Amino acid sequence: RRQRYLLQVQLAIGATVALFGMTVFVSGIVLITTCPADELDLDLLVAETPIIRILGSAVPAALSAAEGVVLAPHTEAIAVLPCLWLLLNKDAQFTTYLSAWLLLYTIGLAPV
């Protein structure tokens, strides 16, 4: 009975986190589609808000590092480099380096 209760609590917490994530995702999509293109400068937003730069580069770096260490042939670990550059260099173009991370991460996941 206790185990069933814990499972229900875990499902409730997971559903709450998923709902929050979907809300943030949909809000971002609405913002991007309704904001004029010349006013939507993500690089400027990241430069002015250090927490976004830190989280926006630390989370992909942690994901790449974790999968690069655990999964052979460890090619995902190369994708950590653009994220580390974003963490250490405040003047880096966020969208450019995040695109480089995504490319390297995708190539690293490709079957050998």
Side-chain angles (χ1 to χ4, degrees), residues 56-108:
S57 55
V59 171
L63 176 69
S64 299
E67 290 187 4
V69 169
V70 173
L71 301 174
H74 313 295
T75 52
E76 291 93 350
I78 296 172
V80 173
L81 297 175
C83 298
L84 289 178
W85 183 253
L86 280 173
L87 277 172
L88 299 174
N89 187 0
K90 294 179 181 180
D91 298 328
Q93 295 292 321
F94 183 77
T95 53
T96 303
Y97 283 96
L98 204 60
S99 299
W101 168 80
L102 184 60
L103 179 66
L104 289 172
Y105 182 73
T106 305
I107 291 171

Side-chain angles (χ1 to χ4, degrees), residues 22-89:
M22 286 186 266
T23 303
V24 169
F25 180 75
V26 169
S27 300
I29 295 296
V30 168
L31 174 73
I32 288 173
T33 56
T34 57
C35 184
D38 57 341
E39 293 180 15
L40 185 64
D41 189 4
L42 293 178
D43 290 326
L44 181 64
L45 174 70
V46 171
E48 292 176 349
T49 316
I51 191 71
I52 294 176
R53 181 179 57 84
I54 292 168
L55 288 177
S57 55
V59 171
L63 176 69
S64 299
E67 290 187 4
V69 169
V70 173
L71 301 174
H74 313 295
T75 52
E76 291 93 350
I78 296 172
V80 173
L81 297 175
C83 298
L84 289 178
W85 183 253
L86 280 173
L87 277 172
L88 299 174
N89 187 0

